Amino acid sequence: MKTDIILAGVGGQGILSIAAILGRAALNENLYIKQAEVHGMSQRGGDVQSNLRISDRPVASDLIPLGQADLIISLEPMEALRYVEYLGPEGRIVTNTTPFVNIPNYPDLEAMIADLHGRHNVVAFDVDKLAREKASPRASNMALLGAASPFVCLEAEKIRQAIADVFTPKGEEIIEMNIKAFNAGRKYTLNHSN
């Protein structure tokens, strides 16, 4: 059992929180994890990317080789497409379709969305809208985590517990908001993917 995940987004979107929660859930299950992070200049909207490898066997490297990722989880469509060469033949992409326009020559959004929908094993939707409607605009990353959760080698309840563990210092209301967003994202994928 293993899941090799590329997490991608823009600084400040909460990608590293997703990595922390999945890492906590994996450790709580006595699984092995390795993680490598590349931080952009988050205060300027730089790209943030993390490799997260979860396995029931020791993991030798924290970097995922080209063509071997099981999953790309991205809070931004351009960032999802940036890492497709890392995706394995049966790999999946779970991404937000709402852009974070942080550069003057940002690619054409319609073309990117068409590219994403033209690929197999893609769950692409407006994660920001779902989070806003079901929980809070600040919980988009947890809605995205929920949407990706059916494709991770961890039980949903274990991920919910890790969300509670990570957000405990912020109080019960924040925990509930984030779990609500997680549940909404998970429900979306279970209802819309094949």
Side-chain angles (χ1 to χ4, degrees):
M1 162 180 77
K2 75 160 184 71
T3 307
D4 286 341
I5 305 168
I6 302 279
L7 297 154
V10 173
Q13 288 187 303
I15 283 296
L16 299 180
S17 294
I18 292 174
I21 288 163
L22 288 174
R24 171 78 59 101
L27 288 174
N28 288 345
E29 287 299 295
N30 294 316
L31 297 173
Y32 295 92
I33 65 165
K34 289 271 186 167
Q35 181 182 359
E37 298 172 2
V38 176
H39 300 268
M41 295 182 66
S42 60
Q43 66 271 34
R44 294 194 181 145
D47 69 292
V48 175
Q49 182 260 349
S50 180
N51 283 227
L52 181 62
R53 307 185 83 184
I54 303 169
S55 178
D56 58 355
R57 296 186 181 139
V59 180
S61 172
D62 53 359
L63 297 177
I64 299 169
L66 287 173
Q68 294 190 27
D70 299 303
L71 182 60
I72 294 173
I73 302 174
S74 181
L75 271 160
E76 211 287 331
M78 181 180 74
E79 296 301 326
L81 290 169
R82 182 188 304 258
Y83 298 103
V84 292
E85 65 186 348
Y86 284 89
L87 206 56
E90 296 305 313
R92 295 183 174 274
I93 298 172
V94 180
T95 187
N96 191 1
T97 56
T98 303
F100 186 100
V101 181
N102 57 347
I103 54 174
N105 57 343
Y106 191 88
D108 179 69
L109 180 61
E110 287 182 22
M112 284 191 301
I113 301 304
D115 185 347
L116 285 164
H117 287 300
R119 298 173 183 274
H120 73 290
N121 294 334
V122 174
V123 177
F125 67 103
D126 189 340
V127 174
D128 293 353
K129 180 180 177 190
L130 180 73
R132 192 170 49 252
E133 290 174 353
K134 302 295 184 184
S136 167
R138 296 181 339 215
S140 293
N141 61 337
M142 291 302 104
L144 182 68
L145 175 56
S149 66
F151 312 120
V152 177
C153 64
L154 298 165
E155 293 176 25
E157 191 50 45
K158 304 298 183 181
I159 299 172
R160 287 184 195 97
Q161 183 57 54
I163 291 169
D165 293 345
V166 167
F167 288 109
T168 290
K170 296 189 177 194
E172 195 61 37
E173 187 176 321
I174 299 297
I175 293 169
E176 288 176 17
M177 174 190 74
N178 283 292
I179 290 176
K180 191 173 183 182
F182 173 87
N183 290 339
R186 183 172 173 82
K187 182 176 180 183
Y188 180 90
T189 294
L190 293 174
N191 290 335
H192 293 92
S193 72
N194 28 339

